[in-house]
Amino acid sequence: MIPMVDLKTQYHTLKAEIDSAVLDAIESTQFILGPNVTAFEQESASYLGVSHAVSCASGTDALHLAILAAGIGPGDEVITSPFTFIATAEAICYAGATPVFVDIDPQTFNIDPALIEKAITPRTRAIIPVHLFGQPADMLAISGICDRHGLLLIEDCAQSFGAKANNMMTGSLGMLGCFSFFPSKNLGCYGDGGMISCATQELADKIKVLRNHGSKVRYHHHLIGYNSRLDDIQAAILRVKLKRIDLFNAARRRVAHLYSDLLSDLVTVPFEDGKGTHVYHQYTLLTDRRDAVMARLSERQIASAVYYPIPLHKQEVFAEACGATCLPVAEEVASRCMSLPIFPEMSDEQVRLVAATVKEALVG
Ligand SMILES: *Cc1c(COP(=O)(O)O)cnc(C)c1O
């Protein structure tokens, strides 16, 4: 049995340190906005090379709070990718704004900068590129477009903790960067969690107020905020894992490169543009025979998954908003993509077994 992600093996290798960090956090009884939260935010900001990082309750909340802090609201349009997890677009809608989907690049699966300018209208306020599967979006091109058109740049880094674009960490290239610590993400906690990296103190202060009931001074509320905080226990776990994130990501890259060596003659393997570091949140390939490959893997007790089978402009929830919108690259990729198991602790033997099973399905 090979799962998509093996959280148990990782826990067992870190057990002593994690257990003691969790027990210390419990013993301190500072469960909400406690010392681990402050320390984790500082350690993350320094790792990412940003001036401030503010944690919150989930990656979805990170996007929502970032969009609110950017002052985006009803009547505004926000350009993003149709080939992402629904949360990217949900957060735009929570703020009362409208997501505008721009087709993706067929090699990186990230928003195609060459198509963005055609989608800009007088209502466009921001672009939210998603660093999908851990592959940085083309930030040089996208930030150029933002500068030319006076648009805000908010990064969805939920899948890209530790990925670099042009030698800078994702999350440090835009005005705001949104991270998720969902357990299976590259940096995951043991529940829900999220964080926003901020380019300015002012944005960080705004988000701190928004995540804590619109309050800076206890029981003084100057706006309607939210209850969206990272638990101190989760922050304690994240601090243990943050120290190892580069090792985890290097191990993911090793797995991915072995897969690509073994599979490049049989399927379209993930593309690396050389401008950044892909951290392989997912190892996603293209094949015309996805069903056959997935069926054979399943027979051999090997997990596989389709991220994502339906692009957002084709989702029922956006049927009215998107109508007959056709984004051919996203639709084609969604119909042919599939992801193989990948996690830092995966052995070469496991990778070879998965690759051999894919081969068996395709060439018999
Ligand atoms: C996981 C994910 C989110 C949402 O994060 P949660 O912590 O699950 O709320 C947002 N965007 C992308 C691209 C994601 O993969």
Side-chain angles (χ1 to χ4, degrees):
M1 167 74 203
I2 303 181
M4 287 303 283
V5 50
D6 182 352
L7 297 176
K8 196 167 260 184
T9 299
Q10 184 171 91
Y11 170 57
H12 286 157
T13 56
L14 304 175
K15 187 173 177 357
E17 215 177 317
I18 287 191
D19 288 1
S20 106
V22 167
L23 291 175
D24 286 350
I26 295 174
E27 191 64 40
S28 85
T29 68
Q30 293 185 266
F31 298 118
I32 305 298
L33 298 179
N36 281 298
V37 168
T38 312
F40 174 67
E41 289 175 343
Q42 280 163 1
E43 288 156 9
S44 296
S46 126
Y47 176 82
L48 295 170
V50 296
S51 55
H52 301 84
V54 183
S55 59
C56 64
S58 71
T60 307
D61 280 5
L63 286 157
H64 182 199
L65 299 179
I67 290 166
L68 291 176
I72 292 166
D76 295 336
E77 290 176 0
V78 178
I79 290 174
T80 192
S81 171
F83 194 56
T84 176
F85 182 56
I86 184 79
T88 317
E90 274 179 323
I92 297 168
C93 298
Y94 294 160
T98 305
V100 173
F101 301 114
V102 166
D103 211 352
I104 58 170
D105 177 277
Q107 287 187 297
T108 64
F109 309 151
N110 283 323
I111 191 167
D112 186 346
L115 304 175
I116 290 177
E117 283 182 299
K118 273 184 281 184
I120 296 174
T121 75
R123 290 170 176 266
T124 309
R125 290 287 315 284
I127 303 178
I128 306 187
V130 181
H131 306 298
L132 197 74
F133 304 146
Q135 165 102 292
D138 187 347
M139 294 305 288
L140 216 55
I142 297 168
S143 50
I145 295 168
C146 287
D147 289 346
R148 281 201 295 285
H149 295 269
L151 304 178
L152 306 172
L153 180 51
I154 302 173
E155 303 173 68
D156 184 337
C157 307
Q159 302 186 3
S160 73
F161 200 105
K164 281 183 185 171
N166 309 303
N167 266 327
M168 287 169 76
M169 288 289 178
T170 57
S172 74
L173 295 120
M175 184 179 77
L176 292 152
C178 306
F179 293 88
S180 164
F181 304 125
F182 186 83
S184 61
K185 301 286 159 108
N186 290 39
L187 181 64
C189 60
Y190 291 176
D192 277 309
M195 188 178 71
I196 304 104
S197 54
C198 308
T200 67
Q201 169 95 51
E202 193 195 342
L203 285 165
D205 288 345
K206 257 192 196 170
I207 292 172
K208 282 187 179 171
V209 167
L210 283 167
R211 76 168 171 187
N212 197 27
H213 298 290
S215 155
K216 202 184 259 173
V217 178
R218 208 177 234 198
Y219 306 124
H220 292 67
H221 306 276
H222 60 279
L223 51 79
I224 294 295
Y226 299 85
N227 177 347
S228 181
R229 299 165 304 215
L230 181 70
D231 290 344
D232 203 67
I233 291 174
Q234 299 298 349
I237 294 165
L238 287 164
R239 292 181 70 197
V240 173
K241 291 204 188 186
L242 177 62
K243 287 190 260 176
R244 280 125 175 142
I245 187 65
D246 286 341
L247 291 173
F248 292 157
N249 283 336
R252 285 175 178 274
R253 286 174 56 75
R254 176 187 55 77
V255 169
H257 293 155
L258 180 53
Y259 269 140
S260 289
D261 286 347
L262 296 167
L263 293 172
S264 61
D265 293 341
L266 296 164
V267 299
T268 306
V269 299
F271 174 78
E272 288 192 34
D273 65 8
K275 290 186 225 159
T277 324
H278 191 327
V279 294
Y280 289 98
H281 174 60
Q282 297 296 345
Y283 183 88
T284 302
L285 55 83
L286 299 179
T287 170
D288 292 330
R289 298 179 54 207
R290 177 166 82 187
D291 291 349
V293 173
M294 292 181 76
R296 181 61 62 101
L297 288 167
S298 160
E299 273 168 33
R300 297 274 191 273
Q301 312 288 312
I302 297 169
S304 62
V306 176
Y307 306 118
Y308 297 93
I310 307 173
L312 299 188
H313 66 290
K314 291 289 179 193
Q315 293 286 348
E316 192 182 339
V317 64
F318 292 125
E320 206 175 312
C322 296
T325 304
C326 179
L327 302 171
V329 182
E331 289 166 35
E332 153 96 8
V333 169
S335 74
R336 299 178 61 220
C337 67
M338 61 170 287
S339 304
L340 297 177
I342 191 165
F343 46 90
E345 299 76 16
M346 200 171 174
S347 67
D348 283 9
E349 197 186 359
Q350 286 176 310
V351 178
R352 288 182 193 282
L353 177 64
V354 176
T357 309
V358 171
K359 186 168 183 179
E360 202 179 272
L362 290 171
V363 296

